[in-house]
Amino acid sequence: MDKIVVTGNGPLQGQIPIAGAKNACLTLMPATLLSDEPLTLTNAPRLSDIRTMSTLLQSLGAEVSSLNEGRVLALSSHGLDNHTADYDIVRKMRASILVLGPMLAREGRAIVSLPGGCAIGARPVDLHLKALEAMGAELELRDGYVHAEARGGLKGAVVEFPIVSVGATENALMAATLAKGTTVLKNPAREPEIVDLARCLQAMGAQIEGAGTDQITVEGVDRLHGATHPVVIDRIELGTYMLAPAIAGGSVELPGGRIDLVGAFVEKLRATGVTVTETPDGLKVARDGDGIRAVDVVTEPFPGFPTDLQAQMMALLCTAGGVSVLEERIFENRFMHAPELIRMGARIDVHGGTATVTGVDRLKGAPVMATDLRASVSLILAGLAAEGDTVVSRVYHLDRGYERVEDKLSAVGAKIERVPDDD
Ligand code: EPZ
C-alpha cells in the first residue's frame, strides 16, 4: 500500500486535465451485456474500479480489452457462459450490482451476490430488486445472492421510485430497453451519468425519452446493436480539482469542464468568494489573496449539491472565516473525513447528518488515514494549504476514483508525492 505526502506550498497555477466519469463508465460497461455486438467506450478513465468491472464482466464470459493505454474499452458479450457474479468480486465494488438488470434482460436469468454495505452506509439494493420485480422478474435471496429469473423475458411496467437512486435507475433503465412493451420510470435519478447511459443505449438502438427529467419512458425493442460511445467527463473529479486553487490559492484551468455538470456546486463555490469563469475550452477557477467566506451546504440528488463533493467542500470550509453547516442527506455515515481533518486542527462538530465547521486560520499537516474514496481526496486537498507535511495512508481508496492525483496536482505546483507505505 502507498502513502501520499502533501506539503502546503502556496498558490497553484496551470491546467488540470479531467478524465471520463468513473460513475458513468461503471454503468456503461455492463450495457455490453444487452447486445451480442461490440460496444466501444472512449474517454474511459484509468482506475482500479474500472479494472474490477472488467474482471467481473470477463468472469461472466464477456470480452473486455483495454486499448490506447486504457482510454478505450472494447467490450463484447457474444454469449455468456456464466451467469453468476461472484461475491469475491462484488464485495470489492458495489457497482457490480449493475450487471443484474442487463444480464436478466438479455439472458432471462442472473445470480448476483448482494453487494453488502460499505464505509459510508448500509447501501441496500431493495429499489433495484423492486424495479425488476415490477418488470416481471422472479427474485429469490439465497445464501447472500440474488437469484433472478425472467422466463419469457421482462415486460414493460410503471416503476415509481420512493427515493431517488442512481444505481436502481440505471439497472431499471438498462433492463427496460429489452422488456416487452413500455416502461415508465417515475422519480428516477437525473444525474448526468443517467443521461450519458441513455445516450449510449440510444446509440445501441434503445427507444428512450426523458433521461435527465423526473420521468423516463422506454419502449422495449427485440435487440440492441453495437455502438461507440464517449464517456462523459467526470463532474466529481472536476469539482474536486476546482477546489484545489480554492484551497491553496492561485488560478487553475480545467479543460473540458462544463458548468451544467456542476451547477449547484459552482453556486456554493462562488458564494465562498472563489472566482469561477467559463473559458472557450472549459472552466477556470481562481482565488486571490482574500479569505474564504463560510457557506452552508445540503447534499441532494442532482441537480442539487452532490454528496460526492461534500467531503471536499468541507476541506475548503475548514479555513473559511466563520461557521458553515453541512447537512449530508444522501448517506447515513459520510463524515469520516471529519476526525481526520480535526487531526489537522480543523474545528468540526458532527451530530448525526449535520457537521458544523468553524473556520480556523490555517490547518497543520499531520498523518491521516483515508477511509473512503471522497474522504481520501478531501485530506489531500486540506494538505495543499496546511502548514507542513500531511501524510495520507491507505491511498488505495483514492486510486479507485482518481487517476494519479499526485501527478495532476504537482503539474500545477503542488508539493505532493507518492511513497511506499512500509508499515
Ligand atoms: C451512486 O451510488 C454513486 N456510485 C455514488 O458514488 C454516489 O454517491 C451515489 O450514486 C449518490 O449520488 C456509482 O455510481 C457507482 P444511490 P448508488 O442508489 O447508486 C439509498 C462515489 O464516491 N438506496 O443513489 O449506490 C442508499 O442507501 C460513489 O463515486 C436504498 O435505500 O447510490 C442511499 O442512501 C459513492 N435502496 C440513497 O438511496 C436502494 O435500492 C442514494 O443511493 C438503493 C439506494
Side-chain angles (χ1 to χ4, degrees):
M1 284 194 278
D2 296 340
K3 281 183 195 169
I4 285 189
V5 183
V6 48
T7 309
N9 191 36
L12 305 177
Q13 189 73 35
Q15 276 200 358
I16 299 182
I18 303 298
K22 164 179 87 82
N23 291 349
C25 203
L26 288 175
T27 189
L28 292 164
M29 292 171 76
T32 188
L33 300 172
L34 291 165
S35 165
D36 55 6
E37 295 185 18
L39 172 64
T40 302
L41 298 175
T42 59
N43 193 36
R46 295 178 292 192
L47 302 167
S48 56
D49 270 9
I50 303 306
R51 291 190 288 276
T52 304
M53 181 58 83
S54 299
T55 305
L56 172 61
L57 291 169
Q58 288 162 342
S59 76
L60 300 174
E63 286 156 35
V64 185
S65 28
S66 160
L67 316 167
N68 189 11
E69 294 172 343
R71 289 262 176 261
V72 173
L73 297 172
L75 304 106
S76 68
S77 59
H78 297 293
L80 299 184
D81 52 18
N82 170 31
H83 294 85
T84 300
D86 204 70
Y87 175 63
D88 266 356
I89 300 179
V90 174
R91 71 184 172 82
K92 281 195 210 108
M93 186 185 61
R94 306 183 71 279
S96 308
I97 191 76
L98 295 173
V99 303
L100 176 60
M103 188 156 45
L104 186 58
R106 174 141 163 263
E107 302 283 306
R109 59 200 169 108
I111 302 173
V112 179
S113 166
L114 284 169
C118 75
I120 63 177
R123 311 290 294 276
V125 291
D126 55 310
L127 300 179
H128 299 238
L129 306 184
K130 284 196 186 94
L132 296 172
E133 274 177 329
M135 292 185 206
E138 287 165 35
L139 306 177
E140 191 197 342
L141 299 190
R142 205 167 63 229
D143 314 325
Y145 283 75
V146 180
H147 293 254
E149 282 206 359
R151 278 186 290 273
L154 294 171
K155 58 185 190 321
V158 176
V159 178
E160 178 126 28
F161 292 105
I163 58 166
V164 171
S165 162
V166 171
T169 302
E170 291 164 343
N171 248 330
L173 179 56
M174 288 190 279
T177 59
L178 294 179
K180 290 179 183 58
T182 305
T183 297
V184 179
L185 303 182
K186 295 189 170 189
N187 192 30
R190 298 163 54 186
E191 272 68 4
E193 291 76 36
I194 304 286
V195 174
D196 201 43
L197 173 61
R199 282 208 183 105
C200 178
L201 294 169
Q202 286 162 335
M204 295 169 73
Q207 306 291 317
I208 301 170
E209 297 289 330
T213 73
D214 56 5
Q215 181 162 309
I216 302 175
T217 304
V218 185
E219 295 301 335
V221 294
D222 294 339
R223 59 186 299 280
L224 294 183
H225 49 72
T228 295
H229 177 78
V231 178
V232 67
I233 190 170
D234 192 322
R235 63 191 169 98
I236 305 303
E237 190 190 26
L238 172 62
T240 301
Y241 286 121
M242 289 172 74
L243 280 161
I247 288 176
S251 162
V252 168
E253 303 229 353
L254 302 118
R258 285 170 34 194
I259 283 265
D260 65 308
L261 297 175
V262 282
F265 166 72
V266 168
E267 198 182 310
K268 286 294 174 184
L269 194 55
R270 283 175 168 157
T272 68
V274 172
T275 310
V276 179
T277 39
E278 294 183 81
T279 65
D281 62 1
L283 297 179
K284 181 175 174 185
V285 179
R287 175 195 167 177
D288 49 29
D290 295 349
I292 290 288
R293 288 193 291 270
V295 295
D296 294 342
V297 171
V298 178
T299 64
E300 293 173 308
F302 194 88
F305 190 99
T307 172
D308 292 350
L309 284 174
Q310 176 259 107
Q312 299 91 313
M313 190 70 179
M314 186 185 286
L316 174 68
L317 296 174
C318 285
T319 56
V323 178
S324 308
V325 177
L326 293 97
E327 199 182 329
E328 173 54 58
R329 287 193 180 162
I330 306 294
F331 290 109
E332 60 267 35
N333 183 32
R334 203 168 197 179
F335 286 134
M336 282 163 302
H337 40 288
E340 302 304 308
L341 290 167
I342 290 169
R343 289 177 51 75
M344 298 175 70
R347 287 178 55 196
I348 308 168
D349 288 310
V350 173
H351 292 287
T354 301
T356 304
V357 180
T358 305
V360 296
D361 288 345
R362 194 159 189 218
L363 296 178
K364 300 231 176 347
V368 290
M369 188 165 72
T371 49
D372 64 85
L373 167 57
R374 308 302 176 185
S376 322
V377 81
S378 83
L379 301 173
I380 301 263
L381 290 173
L384 289 177
E387 197 180 316
D389 292 351
T390 298
V391 184
V392 184
S393 58
R394 301 192 178 179
V395 291
Y396 55 85
H397 289 293
L398 204 61
D399 296 336
R400 295 187 54 176
Y402 293 92
E403 278 181 39
R404 306 296 300 171
V405 63
E406 66 278 13
D407 297 348
K408 292 195 174 185
L409 285 174
S410 42
V412 291
K415 192 163 180 294
I416 177 170
E417 60 172 342
R418 181 183 290 256
V419 297
D421 188 350
D422 42 19
D423 62 15

